[in-house]
């Protein structure tokens, strides 16, 4: 009996490792080859590099114009995070606290966007009319708009868990609506706001469809599109392409490792009602 | 306390304005444009009735291919991600060493950009030097080595496989949370009654996970119908039309300047998902105490 238990524990562990390796192998392949010489990388195998070619990275940053692309991505992600978090928190707070019929309808209308796809071609018309085509501000507003539904859904359920008695006490003490929201309620929402900020940052950093449709000039492209463009030009130099992939993915992987707890809680919210 | 004064409705306006202008408005005017001959060349736009819809649903054109591909993609990836995700979730709620490491690894592909994943797999699936074919040749299964992304018979399967590889960790993570919310006393009672692992899974885990599985299914269906990134970065619809889905089709029509036809494709998808989405959203917000 004991032996059977040990065998099954061993089997479970082996299986977990096997699966993890299937997930890791392609990622390891990219990391290893980003340090190889062009010749060694042409074989695209999992052999360890004989020497570390850091020059690949320097070359990619220069040839792929990654400096500008990095700043663009950072600008789009940071601005969307700030704008989206602020607008969504204000909206979810009022929609959760003030439950008239109108607010119920507005909440459903806003979160319906989780399911509804974007109609890109007429969106181009709207962007042209608003003079937002091929502008940085236009892309930031688009990223904000597309992430409103899910973020409102996340924050709304969290606001409901905070007792309204706190609000009453603050109002009796003479707090204005804005003062109550910014000074009392918002600090209490910190856990869900961190989740929202992390998810919004990752989504914006990874997205590339909006720039594909709405950013014509390459100097405004974010990292994802820059790396794809680079791949089109240097697809034979796998060492350079791999270095480019590593540089583009490094920020999201770092944020993932640091904020795993928040990402998972955001991703599972709503799906599991405990 | 006056609720309307303490919680002023104008707090909602910022989000609402952006959402209406850049999310809902395009869908609404898109419906109108679906009945016109709008293109990059047209100086003025004419009403053409149901012509675009007739083009999209005509049997002799490649649109039927897009439609069936999108449906196949949705059904296959939804089933596969749920089944594999469930298996992974059951495995990674057992007593495994380095549990958090394994969970983190499984979820890792979900945080990478689909464009990046596409590029990684262009390398892995490269027929000559790719990791997969090299591996197959190495273990003596040379006959299995294929042109994964350029053979029109298997390219779509490869695309779906990559998408499953990327997305199964997400489903696993949700299901792990679902399994953890099942009270352990149920399993204790079952083991006292002599229930084995399979019986526990069949009669406790599965029925109690049913609501969570419903949600993962709906999420997957919505994702599958909307899919663009993975297909675009791996094959861009090719070879020929073998891997074309609705949204790569929309992008192609956009590139060709045939705006009306592209908009019509989008409108069809919007109408389908509006109906499906309404029921899903109602289900998701139900426990929220919101009166709707």
């Amino acid at each position: 009996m004991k032996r059977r238990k040990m065998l099954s524990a061993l089997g479970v562990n082996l299986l977990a490792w096997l699966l993890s390796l299937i997930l890791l192998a392609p990622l390891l392949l990219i990391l290893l080859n980003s340090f190889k010489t062009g010749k060694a990388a042409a074989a695209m195998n999992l052999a360890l590099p004989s020497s570390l070619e850091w020059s690949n990275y320097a070359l990619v940053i220069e040839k792929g114009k990654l400096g500008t692309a990095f700043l663009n991505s950072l600008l789009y992600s940071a601005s969307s995070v700030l704008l989206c978090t602020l607008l969504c928190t204000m909206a979810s707070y009022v929609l959760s606290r003030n439950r008239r019929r109108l607010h119920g309808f507005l909440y459903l209308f806003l979160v319906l966007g989780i399911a509804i796809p974007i109609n890109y071609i007429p969106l181009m018309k709207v962007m042209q009319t608003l003079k937002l085509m091929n502008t940085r501000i236009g892309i930031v507003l688009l990223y904000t708009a597309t992430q409103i539904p899910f973020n409102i859904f996340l924050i709304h359920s969290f606001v409901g868990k905070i007792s309204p008695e706190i609000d009453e006490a603050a109002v009796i003490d003479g707090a204005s609506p804005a003062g109550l929201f910014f000074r009392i309620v918002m600090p209490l929402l910190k856990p869900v706001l961190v989740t929202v900020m992390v998810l919004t940052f990752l989504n914006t950093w990874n997205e590339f469809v909006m720039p594909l449709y709405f950013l014509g000039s390459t100097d405004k492209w974010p990292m994802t599109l820059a790396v794809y463009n680079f791949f089109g030009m240097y697809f034979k130099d796998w060492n350079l392409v791999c270095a480019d992939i590593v540089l583009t993915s490094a920020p999201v992987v770092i944020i993932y490792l640091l904020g795993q707890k928040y990402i998972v809680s955001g991703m599972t919210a709503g799906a599991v009602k405990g | 306390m006056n609720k309307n004064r303490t919680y002023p409705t104008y707090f909602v306006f910022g989000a609402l304005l952006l959402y209406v202008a850049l999310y809902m408005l395009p869908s609404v005017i898109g419906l109108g444009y679906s009945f016109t001959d709008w293109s990059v060349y047209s100086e003025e736009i004419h009403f053409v009735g149901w012509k675009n819809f007739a083009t999209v649903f005509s049997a002799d054109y490649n649109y039927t291919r897009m439609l069936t591909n999108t449906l196949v993609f949705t059904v296959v990836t939804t089933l596969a991600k749920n089944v594999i995700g469930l298996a992974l979730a059951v495995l990674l709620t057992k007593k495994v060493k380095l549990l958090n490491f394994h969970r983190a690894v499984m979820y890792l592909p979900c945080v990478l950009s689909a464009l990046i994943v596409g590029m990684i797999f262009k390398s892995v699936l490269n027929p000559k030097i790719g990791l997969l074919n090299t591996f197959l040749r190495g273990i003596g299964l040379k006959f299995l080595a294929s042109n994964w992304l350029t053979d029109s018979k298997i390219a779509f399967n490869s695309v779906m496989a990559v998408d499953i590889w990327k997305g199964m960790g997400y489903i696993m993570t949700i299901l792990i949370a679902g399994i953890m919310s099942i009270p352990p006393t149920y399993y204790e009672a079952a083991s006292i009654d002599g229930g084995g692992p399979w019986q526990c899974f069949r009669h406790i885990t599965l029925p109690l996970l049913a609501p969570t599985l419903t949600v993962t299914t709906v999420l997957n269906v919505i994702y599958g119908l909307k899919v663009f990134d993975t297909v675009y970065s791996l094959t861009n619809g090719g070879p020929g039309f073998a891997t074309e889905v609705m949204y790569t089709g929309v992008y192609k029509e956009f590139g060709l300047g045939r705006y009306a036809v592209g908009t019509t494709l989008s409108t069809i998808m919007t109408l389908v998902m509006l109906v499906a989405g309404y029921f899903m959203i109602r289900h998701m917000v139900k426990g929220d105490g919101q009166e709707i």
Side-chain angles (χ1 to χ4, degrees), chain B:
Chain B
M1 189 167 81
N2 182 340
K3 277 205 166 183
N4 289 328
R5 194 183 301 151
T6 318
Y7 310 119
T9 305
Y10 66 77
F11 269 36
V12 187
F13 288 171
L16 195 63
L17 179 74
L18 274 183
Y19 176 73
V20 168
L22 298 178
Y23 208 119
M24 282 299 169
L25 186 64
S27 292
V28 175
I29 61 175
L31 185 66
Y33 277 123
S34 307
F35 296 96
T36 67
D37 62 354
W38 183 33
S39 83
V40 70
Y41 309 108
S42 55
E43 287 182 4
E44 50 188 277
I45 297 167
H46 306 96
F47 178 77
V48 294
W50 293 92
K51 190 167 154 267
N52 295 318
F53 290 89
T55 311
V56 170
F57 287 111
S58 63
D60 59 320
Y61 210 28
N62 285 307
Y63 296 116
T64 27
R65 187 69 178 268
M66 286 178 203
L67 219 67
T68 45
N69 271 351
T70 308
L71 291 177
V72 169
F73 183 94
T74 307
V75 172
V76 171
T77 56
T78 300
L79 276 175
K81 283 183 202 170
N82 268 329
V83 171
I84 300 174
L86 181 59
L88 291 174
V90 170
L91 176 71
L92 293 185
T93 42
K94 290 197 182 308
K95 286 196 181 94
V96 177
K97 291 211 172 78
L98 294 170
L99 196 62
N100 286 330
F101 165 79
H102 288 302
R103 285 185 188 170
V105 167
M106 303 281 175
Y107 192 78
L108 186 58
C110 307
V111 298
L112 296 176
S113 171
L115 200 65
I116 299 288
V117 170
M119 285 161 60
I120 295 176
F121 274 90
K122 269 189 170 166
S123 152
V124 171
L125 301 177
N126 185 303
K128 279 206 201 89
I129 57 163
L131 194 62
L132 184 60
N133 278 358
T134 314
F135 175 74
L136 288 172
R137 285 189 207 108
I139 59 167
L141 294 171
K142 200 177 169 198
F143 62 96
L144 279 180
S146 324
N147 296 323
W148 300 107
L149 293 172
T150 47
D151 181 341
S152 60
K153 285 198 197 70
I154 53 173
F156 198 52
N157 294 338
S158 310
V159 171
M160 290 193 284
V162 171
D163 192 71
I164 293 163
W165 178 90
K166 181 174 171 15
M168 61 192 186
Y170 174 44
I171 302 307
M172 176 205 77
T173 307
I174 294 179
L175 292 178
I176 284 179
I179 291 178
M180 309 260 269
S181 71
I182 298 175
T185 44
Y186 291 4
Y187 293 102
E188 284 158 22
S191 88
I192 289 167
D193 290 343
W198 169 251
Q199 282 169 315
C200 282
F201 173 75
R202 174 71 190 78
H203 296 289
I204 301 174
T205 314
L206 210 52
L208 289 174
L209 267 188
T212 315
L213 281 167
T214 314
V215 175
T216 56
T217 303
V218 178
L219 286 176
N220 272 327
V221 168
I222 288 177
Y223 168 81
L225 292 175
K226 282 205 253 192
V227 69
F228 172 79
D229 331 34
T230 315
V231 183
Y232 175 78
S233 61
L234 278 171
T235 60
N236 195 12
F241 284 83
T243 60
E244 203 81 72
V245 289
M246 290 302 261
Y247 277 92
T248 56
V250 173
Y251 185 64
K252 279 214 175 121
E253 299 291 336
F254 174 77
L256 292 169
R258 300 198 301 200
Y259 297 151
V261 180
T263 307
T264 308
L265 286 173
S266 286
T267 299
I268 294 168
M269 296 306 281
T270 305
L271 292 177
V272 169
M273 293 173 78
L274 191 66
V275 176
Y278 178 76
F279 290 102
M280 180 200 101
I281 300 298
R282 282 205 71 149
H283 175 81
M284 276 170 75
V285 302
K286 211 162 43 184
D288 240 5
Q290 188 71 259
E291 205 181 304
I292 28 182

